[in-house]
């Protein structure tokens, strides 16, 4: 596993759980508003060994309630199943996966082997704007996102779909597409973009959407999903 970042305690990344977050290196998207831009390159060296992580989890397993594996894009790591299995066997902790949905085969395997307790999958936009907002030019990746979406919506594993809403990128028309795109979703979150020095495109002029904007977008999507909530709004 290419482990390039590690947060020892978080109350935000796994709602309802005291958790730690492991960040893998490498991503196949280039979202201009990415907050983890330092983790995008596929040739990043590991900053932590697996044994360091396992040892920490064994020491803190009576304090922590879960482990979040984020990135980058974790499902690009071929040894992800073995890594998660070791976490669960050594610590007994729940594991939440954050993913962009481009590796449905890996997602299906992780679920079928009972390695995950929760999945958060990003929905960048509606289909017509997905590749532009995700910073890629490969229709096959979008097809894989759709497959992963279907795995979650049609499965039994607890999950959420979520969109980071960025002023200067997202418009009403995007959510008019997102609604039908995620029809049948049980839980969908609109997250407010926040300015950060680690954003990939610092010259973009992106802004944080207002609560009123987010509520408007939520109302557009609401007829298609069971539950819509806002996150990261003052």
């Amino acid at each position: 596993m290419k482990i390039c970042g590690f947060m020892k305690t978080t109350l935000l990344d796994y709602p309802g759980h005291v958790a730690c977050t492991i960040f893998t290196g490498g991503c196949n998207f280039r979202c201009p508003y990415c907050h983890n831009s330092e983790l995008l390159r596929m040739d990043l060296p590991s900053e932590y060994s697996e044994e360091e992580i396992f040892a920490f989890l064994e020491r803190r397993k009576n304090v922590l309630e879960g482990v979040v594996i984020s990135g980058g894009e974790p499902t690009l790591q071929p040894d992800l199943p073995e890594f998660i299995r070791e976490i669960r066997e050594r610590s007994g902790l729940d594991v939440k996966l954050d993913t962009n949905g481009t590796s449905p085969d890996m997602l299906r395997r992780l679920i079928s082997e009972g390695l995950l307790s929760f999945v958060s999958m990003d929905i960048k936009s509606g289909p017509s704007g997905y590749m532009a907002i995700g910073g890629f030019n490969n229709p096959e990746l979008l097809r894989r996102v759709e497959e992963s979406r279907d795995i979650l919506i049609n499965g039994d594993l607890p999950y959420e779909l979520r969109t980071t809403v960025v002023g200067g990128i997202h418009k009403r028309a995007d959510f008019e597409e997102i609604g039908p795109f995620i029809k049948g979703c049980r839980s969908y979150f609109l997250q407010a973009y926040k300015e950060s020095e680690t954003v990939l495109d610092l010259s973009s002029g992106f802004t944080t959407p207002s609560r009123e904007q987010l509520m408007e977008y939520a109302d557009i999507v609401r007829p298609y999903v069971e539950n819509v909530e806002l996150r990261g709004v003052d």
Side-chain angles (χ1 to χ4, degrees), residues 13 26 29 31 33 37 56 64 84 94 99-100 104 110 114 116 120 128-129 146 155 169 192 195-196 203 216 220 226:
D13 293 346
F29 280 10
C31 307
Y33 53 89
S37 58
F56 171 82
L64 296 172
I84 296 177
D94 288 343
T99 181
N100 63 21
L110 295 173
L116 300 177
S120 290
S128 68
E146 293 171 345
I169 290 185
E195 291 185 5
S196 168
S203 63
E216 176 188 351
I220 293 170
E226 292 184 23

PDB file of all heavy atoms in Angstrom, residues 13 26 29 31 33 37 56 64 84 94 99-100 104 110 114 116 120 128-129 146 155 169 192 195-196 203 216 220 226:
ATOM      1  N   ASP A  13     -14.551  12.687   9.246  1.00  0.00           N
ATOM      2  CA  ASP A  13     -14.438  11.843   8.054  1.00  0.00           C
ATOM      3  C   ASP A  13     -15.331  10.613   8.091  1.00  0.00           C
ATOM      4  O   ASP A  13     -15.658  10.038   7.048  1.00  0.00           O
ATOM      5  CB  ASP A  13     -12.982  11.411   7.846  1.00  0.00           C
ATOM      6  CG  ASP A  13     -12.082  12.573   7.483  1.00  0.00           C
ATOM      7  OD1 ASP A  13     -12.614  13.641   7.131  1.00  0.00           O
ATOM      8  OD2 ASP A  13     -10.849  12.414   7.546  1.00  0.00           O
ATOM      9  N   GLY A  26      -1.931   8.857  -5.329  1.00  0.00           N
ATOM     10  CA  GLY A  26      -2.298   8.602  -6.703  1.00  0.00           C
ATOM     11  C   GLY A  26      -3.785   8.712  -6.951  1.00  0.00           C
ATOM     12  O   GLY A  26      -4.593   8.207  -6.170  1.00  0.00           O
ATOM     13  N   PHE A  29      -8.283  11.194 -11.349  1.00  0.00           N
ATOM     14  CA  PHE A  29      -9.029  12.421 -11.622  1.00  0.00           C
ATOM     15  C   PHE A  29      -8.114  13.623 -11.368  1.00  0.00           C
ATOM     16  O   PHE A  29      -7.117  13.517 -10.652  1.00  0.00           O
ATOM     17  CB  PHE A  29     -10.251  12.542 -10.710  1.00  0.00           C
ATOM     18  CG  PHE A  29     -11.452  11.736 -11.144  1.00  0.00           C
ATOM     19  CD1 PHE A  29     -11.384  10.809 -12.159  1.00  0.00           C
ATOM     20  CD2 PHE A  29     -12.664  11.909 -10.496  1.00  0.00           C
ATOM     21  CE1 PHE A  29     -12.490  10.071 -12.545  1.00  0.00           C
ATOM     22  CE2 PHE A  29     -13.780  11.185 -10.864  1.00  0.00           C
ATOM     23  CZ  PHE A  29     -13.697  10.265 -11.893  1.00  0.00           C
ATOM     24  N   CYS A  31      -9.646  16.947 -10.470  1.00  0.00           N
ATOM     25  CA  CYS A  31     -10.659  17.957 -10.146  1.00  0.00           C
ATOM     26  C   CYS A  31      -9.945  19.244  -9.753  1.00  0.00           C
ATOM     27  O   CYS A  31      -9.091  19.229  -8.848  1.00  0.00           O
ATOM     28  CB  CYS A  31     -11.540  17.477  -8.995  1.00  0.00           C
ATOM     29  SG  CYS A  31     -12.273  15.846  -9.269  1.00  0.00           S
ATOM     30  N   TYR A  33     -10.696  21.675  -8.003  1.00  0.00           N
ATOM     31  CA  TYR A  33     -10.945  22.135  -6.635  1.00  0.00           C
ATOM     32  C   TYR A  33     -10.467  21.130  -5.594  1.00  0.00           C
ATOM     33  O   TYR A  33     -10.791  21.262  -4.411  1.00  0.00           O
ATOM     34  CB  TYR A  33     -12.437  22.411  -6.434  1.00  0.00           C
ATOM     35  CG  TYR A  33     -13.327  21.249  -6.808  1.00  0.00           C
ATOM     36  CD1 TYR A  33     -13.658  20.278  -5.878  1.00  0.00           C
ATOM     37  CD2 TYR A  33     -13.826  21.122  -8.102  1.00  0.00           C
ATOM     38  CE1 TYR A  33     -14.471  19.200  -6.220  1.00  0.00           C
ATOM     39  CE2 TYR A  33     -14.642  20.059  -8.456  1.00  0.00           C
ATOM     40  CZ  TYR A  33     -14.955  19.100  -7.513  1.00  0.00           C
ATOM     41  OH  TYR A  33     -15.741  18.045  -7.863  1.00  0.00           O
ATOM     42  N   SER A  37      -4.442  17.913  -3.397  1.00  0.00           N
ATOM     43  CA  SER A  37      -3.695  17.936  -4.650  1.00  0.00           C
ATOM     44  C   SER A  37      -2.289  17.365  -4.503  1.00  0.00           C
ATOM     45  O   SER A  37      -1.703  16.878  -5.466  1.00  0.00           O
ATOM     46  CB  SER A  37      -3.615  19.368  -5.188  1.00  0.00           C
ATOM     47  OG  SER A  37      -3.001  20.239  -4.250  1.00  0.00           O
ATOM     48  N   PHE A  56      -0.151   1.308  15.271  1.00  0.00           N
ATOM     49  CA  PHE A  56      -0.938   2.407  15.830  1.00  0.00           C
ATOM     50  C   PHE A  56      -2.364   1.949  16.130  1.00  0.00           C
ATOM     51  O   PHE A  56      -2.915   2.236  17.206  1.00  0.00           O
ATOM     52  CB  PHE A  56      -0.967   3.583  14.851  1.00  0.00           C
ATOM     53  CG  PHE A  56      -1.923   4.670  15.252  1.00  0.00           C
ATOM     54  CD1 PHE A  56      -1.560   5.633  16.182  1.00  0.00           C
ATOM     55  CD2 PHE A  56      -3.204   4.732  14.697  1.00  0.00           C
ATOM     56  CE1 PHE A  56      -2.452   6.629  16.562  1.00  0.00           C
ATOM     57  CE2 PHE A  56      -4.101   5.720  15.071  1.00  0.00           C
ATOM     58  CZ  PHE A  56      -3.718   6.676  16.001  1.00  0.00           C
ATOM     59  N   LEU A  64     -10.476   4.267  19.207  1.00  0.00           N
ATOM     60  CA  LEU A  64     -11.057   4.504  17.888  1.00  0.00           C
ATOM     61  C   LEU A  64     -12.268   3.610  17.643  1.00  0.00           C
ATOM     62  O   LEU A  64     -12.392   2.532  18.226  1.00  0.00           O
ATOM     63  CB  LEU A  64     -10.012   4.246  16.805  1.00  0.00           C
ATOM     64  CG  LEU A  64      -8.791   5.163  16.784  1.00  0.00           C
ATOM     65  CD1 LEU A  64      -7.768   4.657  15.778  1.00  0.00           C
ATOM     66  CD2 LEU A  64      -9.186   6.600  16.462  1.00  0.00           C
ATOM     67  N   ILE A  84      -6.954  -3.931   4.104  1.00  0.00           N
ATOM     68  CA  ILE A  84      -8.150  -3.772   4.925  1.00  0.00           C
ATOM     69  C   ILE A  84      -8.389  -5.014   5.774  1.00  0.00           C
ATOM     70  O   ILE A  84      -8.759  -4.923   6.952  1.00  0.00           O
ATOM     71  CB  ILE A  84      -9.378  -3.470   4.044  1.00  0.00           C
ATOM     72  CG1 ILE A  84      -9.202  -2.130   3.332  1.00  0.00           C
ATOM     73  CG2 ILE A  84     -10.654  -3.457   4.889  1.00  0.00           C
ATOM     74  CD1 ILE A  84     -10.327  -1.778   2.386  1.00  0.00           C
ATOM     75  N   ASP A  94     -14.261  -0.912  12.324  1.00  0.00           N
ATOM     76  CA  ASP A  94     -14.989  -0.710  11.073  1.00  0.00           C
ATOM     77  C   ASP A  94     -14.114   0.062  10.095  1.00  0.00           C
ATOM     78  O   ASP A  94     -13.290   0.899  10.498  1.00  0.00           O
ATOM     79  CB  ASP A  94     -16.266   0.094  11.324  1.00  0.00           C
ATOM     80  CG  ASP A  94     -17.328  -0.706  12.057  1.00  0.00           C
ATOM     81  OD1 ASP A  94     -17.218  -1.946  12.096  1.00  0.00           O
ATOM     82  OD2 ASP A  94     -18.272  -0.091  12.588  1.00  0.00           O
ATOM     83  N   THR A  99     -14.252   6.972  -2.189  1.00  0.00           N
ATOM     84  CA  THR A  99     -13.859   6.612  -3.548  1.00  0.00           C
ATOM     85  C   THR A  99     -14.516   7.511  -4.579  1.00  0.00           C
ATOM     86  O   THR A  99     -15.591   8.071  -4.351  1.00  0.00           O
ATOM     87  CB  THR A  99     -14.214   5.139  -3.844  1.00  0.00           C
ATOM     88  OG1 THR A  99     -13.790   4.801  -5.167  1.00  0.00           O
ATOM     89  CG2 THR A  99     -15.710   4.880  -3.710  1.00  0.00           C
ATOM     90  N   ASN A 100     -13.864   7.622  -5.750  1.00  0.00           N
ATOM     91  CA  ASN A 100     -14.480   8.329  -6.869  1.00  0.00           C
ATOM     92  C   ASN A 100     -15.284   7.386  -7.760  1.00  0.00           C
ATOM     93  O   ASN A 100     -15.891   7.817  -8.745  1.00  0.00           O
ATOM     94  CB  ASN A 100     -13.437   9.106  -7.685  1.00  0.00           C
ATOM     95  CG  ASN A 100     -12.391   8.208  -8.347  1.00  0.00           C
ATOM     96  OD1 ASN A 100     -12.592   7.008  -8.559  1.00  0.00           O
ATOM     97  ND2 ASN A 100     -11.250   8.794  -8.701  1.00  0.00           N
ATOM     98  N   PRO A 104     -15.060  -0.244 -10.172  1.00  0.00           N
ATOM     99  CA  PRO A 104     -16.194  -1.051  -9.692  1.00  0.00           C
ATOM    100  C   PRO A 104     -15.816  -2.487  -9.357  1.00  0.00           C
ATOM    101  O   PRO A 104     -16.401  -3.077  -8.433  1.00  0.00           O
ATOM    102  CB  PRO A 104     -17.195  -0.979 -10.842  1.00  0.00           C
ATOM    103  CG  PRO A 104     -16.391  -0.602 -12.041  1.00  0.00           C
ATOM    104  CD  PRO A 104     -15.297   0.276 -11.529  1.00  0.00           C
ATOM    105  N   LEU A 110     -14.390  -5.783  -2.506  1.00  0.00           N
ATOM    106  CA  LEU A 110     -14.321  -5.361  -1.107  1.00  0.00           C
ATOM    107  C   LEU A 110     -15.636  -5.613  -0.384  1.00  0.00           C
ATOM    108  O   LEU A 110     -15.653  -6.044   0.775  1.00  0.00           O
ATOM    109  CB  LEU A 110     -13.950  -3.885  -1.023  1.00  0.00           C
ATOM    110  CG  LEU A 110     -12.560  -3.493  -1.528  1.00  0.00           C
ATOM    111  CD1 LEU A 110     -12.419  -1.972  -1.543  1.00  0.00           C
ATOM    112  CD2 LEU A 110     -11.462  -4.122  -0.689  1.00  0.00           C
ATOM    113  N   GLY A 114     -16.786  -8.749   2.561  1.00  0.00           N
ATOM    114  CA  GLY A 114     -17.165  -8.242   3.873  1.00  0.00           C
ATOM    115  C   GLY A 114     -16.132  -7.352   4.529  1.00  0.00           C
ATOM    116  O   GLY A 114     -16.060  -7.285   5.762  1.00  0.00           O
ATOM    117  N   LEU A 116     -15.789  -3.942   4.143  1.00  0.00           N
ATOM    118  CA  LEU A 116     -16.189  -2.561   4.356  1.00  0.00           C
ATOM    119  C   LEU A 116     -17.427  -2.467   5.226  1.00  0.00           C
ATOM    120  O   LEU A 116     -18.301  -3.324   5.189  1.00  0.00           O
ATOM    121  CB  LEU A 116     -16.480  -1.876   3.017  1.00  0.00           C
ATOM    122  CG  LEU A 116     -15.326  -1.821   2.013  1.00  0.00           C
ATOM    123  CD1 LEU A 116     -15.801  -1.176   0.714  1.00  0.00           C
ATOM    124  CD2 LEU A 116     -14.138  -1.067   2.584  1.00  0.00           C
ATOM    125  N   SER A 120     -18.335   6.071   1.038  1.00  0.00           N
ATOM    126  CA  SER A 120     -18.705   7.402   0.552  1.00  0.00           C
ATOM    127  C   SER A 120     -18.184   7.532  -0.874  1.00  0.00           C
ATOM    128  O   SER A 120     -16.980   7.392  -1.110  1.00  0.00           O
ATOM    129  CB  SER A 120     -18.089   8.506   1.412  1.00  0.00           C
ATOM    130  OG  SER A 120     -18.671   8.559   2.685  1.00  0.00           O
ATOM    131  N   SER A 128     -23.285  15.074 -18.396  1.00  0.00           N
ATOM    132  CA  SER A 128     -22.747  15.920 -19.472  1.00  0.00           C
ATOM    133  C   SER A 128     -21.516  16.715 -19.039  1.00  0.00           C
ATOM    134  O   SER A 128     -20.662  17.046 -19.868  1.00  0.00           O
ATOM    135  CB  SER A 128     -23.828  16.870 -19.995  1.00  0.00           C
ATOM    136  OG  SER A 128     -24.177  17.829 -19.020  1.00  0.00           O
ATOM    137  N   GLY A 129     -21.403  17.012 -17.751  1.00  0.00           N
ATOM    138  CA  GLY A 129     -20.262  17.793 -17.277  1.00  0.00           C
ATOM    139  C   GLY A 129     -19.253  17.012 -16.473  1.00  0.00           C
ATOM    140  O   GLY A 129     -18.289  17.587 -15.952  1.00  0.00           O
ATOM    141  N   GLU A 146     -20.670   4.961 -13.159  1.00  0.00           N
ATOM    142  CA  GLU A 146     -22.076   4.541 -13.207  1.00  0.00           C
ATOM    143  C   GLU A 146     -22.243   3.126 -12.667  1.00  0.00           C
ATOM    144  O   GLU A 146     -23.211   2.834 -11.952  1.00  0.00           O
ATOM    145  CB  GLU A 146     -22.578   4.628 -14.649  1.00  0.00           C
ATOM    146  CG  GLU A 146     -22.646   6.057 -15.172  1.00  0.00           C
ATOM    147  CD  GLU A 146     -22.932   6.117 -16.661  1.00  0.00           C
ATOM    148  OE1 GLU A 146     -22.801   5.081 -17.346  1.00  0.00           O
ATOM    149  OE2 GLU A 146     -23.288   7.207 -17.147  1.00  0.00           O
ATOM    150  N   GLY A 155     -27.295  -2.400  -3.624  1.00  0.00           N
ATOM    151  CA  GLY A 155     -26.748  -3.310  -2.621  1.00  0.00           C
ATOM    152  C   GLY A 155     -27.287  -3.043  -1.229  1.00  0.00           C
ATOM    153  O   GLY A 155     -28.176  -2.209  -1.016  1.00  0.00           O
ATOM    154  N   ILE A 169     -18.151  26.697 -10.456  1.00  0.00           N
ATOM    155  CA  ILE A 169     -18.191  25.472 -11.263  1.00  0.00           C
ATOM    156  C   ILE A 169     -19.624  24.981 -11.402  1.00  0.00           C
ATOM    157  O   ILE A 169     -20.150  24.844 -12.505  1.00  0.00           O
ATOM    158  CB  ILE A 169     -17.315  24.362 -10.656  1.00  0.00           C
ATOM    159  CG1 ILE A 169     -15.827  24.705 -10.795  1.00  0.00           C
ATOM    160  CG2 ILE A 169     -17.605  23.030 -11.337  1.00  0.00           C
ATOM    161  CD1 ILE A 169     -14.897  23.594 -10.330  1.00  0.00           C
ATOM    162  N   ALA A 192     -20.262  21.821   1.038  1.00  0.00           N
ATOM    163  CA  ALA A 192     -19.822  23.143   0.610  1.00  0.00           C
ATOM    164  C   ALA A 192     -18.307  23.165   0.428  1.00  0.00           C
ATOM    165  O   ALA A 192     -17.547  22.784   1.324  1.00  0.00           O
ATOM    166  CB  ALA A 192     -20.233  24.197   1.628  1.00  0.00           C
ATOM    167  N   GLU A 195     -12.257  27.180   0.805  1.00  0.00           N
ATOM    168  CA  GLU A 195     -10.954  27.595   0.299  1.00  0.00           C
ATOM    169  C   GLU A 195      -9.840  26.942   1.101  1.00  0.00           C
ATOM    170  O   GLU A 195      -9.956  26.739   2.305  1.00  0.00           O
ATOM    171  CB  GLU A 195     -10.815  29.113   0.366  1.00  0.00           C
ATOM    172  CG  GLU A 195     -11.723  29.850  -0.604  1.00  0.00           C
ATOM    173  CD  GLU A 195     -11.475  31.336  -0.590  1.00  0.00           C
ATOM    174  OE1 GLU A 195     -10.536  31.780   0.104  1.00  0.00           O
ATOM    175  OE2 GLU A 195     -12.213  32.072  -1.277  1.00  0.00           O
ATOM    176  N   SER A 196      -8.751  26.620   0.407  1.00  0.00           N
ATOM    177  CA  SER A 196      -7.609  25.987   1.060  1.00  0.00           C
ATOM    178  C   SER A 196      -6.362  26.215   0.214  1.00  0.00           C
ATOM    179  O   SER A 196      -6.445  26.298  -1.021  1.00  0.00           O
ATOM    180  CB  SER A 196      -7.848  24.489   1.237  1.00  0.00           C
ATOM    181  OG  SER A 196      -6.658  23.822   1.608  1.00  0.00           O
ATOM    182  N   SER A 203      -5.702  29.598  -8.715  1.00  0.00           N
ATOM    183  CA  SER A 203      -6.015  30.832  -9.435  1.00  0.00           C
ATOM    184  C   SER A 203      -7.435  30.842  -9.974  1.00  0.00           C
ATOM    185  O   SER A 203      -7.810  31.730 -10.729  1.00  0.00           O
ATOM    186  CB  SER A 203      -5.036  31.009 -10.604  1.00  0.00           C
ATOM    187  OG  SER A 203      -5.186  29.950 -11.543  1.00  0.00           O
ATOM    188  N   GLU A 216     -31.322  25.217  -2.591  1.00  0.00           N
ATOM    189  CA  GLU A 216     -31.967  25.197  -3.908  1.00  0.00           C
ATOM    190  C   GLU A 216     -31.575  23.931  -4.674  1.00  0.00           C
ATOM    191  O   GLU A 216     -32.426  23.243  -5.254  1.00  0.00           O
ATOM    192  CB  GLU A 216     -31.550  26.433  -4.717  1.00  0.00           C
ATOM    193  CG  GLU A 216     -32.102  26.432  -6.138  1.00  0.00           C
ATOM    194  CD  GLU A 216     -31.525  27.557  -6.994  1.00  0.00           C
ATOM    195  OE1 GLU A 216     -30.832  28.441  -6.441  1.00  0.00           O
ATOM    196  OE2 GLU A 216     -31.756  27.534  -8.217  1.00  0.00           O
ATOM    197  N   ILE A 220     -33.805  20.398  -5.865  1.00  0.00           N
ATOM    198  CA  ILE A 220     -33.860  19.859  -7.218  1.00  0.00           C
ATOM    199  C   ILE A 220     -33.653  18.350  -7.208  1.00  0.00           C
ATOM    200  O   ILE A 220     -34.326  17.594  -7.930  1.00  0.00           O
ATOM    201  CB  ILE A 220     -32.787  20.535  -8.106  1.00  0.00           C
ATOM    202  CG1 ILE A 220     -33.123  22.019  -8.298  1.00  0.00           C
ATOM    203  CG2 ILE A 220     -32.667  19.832  -9.447  1.00  0.00           C
ATOM    204  CD1 ILE A 220     -32.010  22.812  -8.945  1.00  0.00           C
ATOM    205  N   GLU A 226     -33.931   9.264  -1.399  1.00  0.00           N
ATOM    206  CA  GLU A 226     -34.655   9.102  -0.138  1.00  0.00           C
ATOM    207  C   GLU A 226     -34.334  10.203   0.858  1.00  0.00           C
ATOM    208  O   GLU A 226     -35.204  10.663   1.597  1.00  0.00           O
ATOM    209  CB  GLU A 226     -34.336   7.731   0.469  1.00  0.00           C
ATOM    210  CG  GLU A 226     -34.883   6.559  -0.323  1.00  0.00           C
ATOM    211  CD  GLU A 226     -34.615   5.242   0.369  1.00  0.00           C
ATOM    212  OE1 GLU A 226     -34.424   5.249   1.603  1.00  0.00           O
ATOM    213  OE2 GLU A 226     -34.588   4.207  -0.314  1.00  0.00           O
TER     214      GLU A 226
END
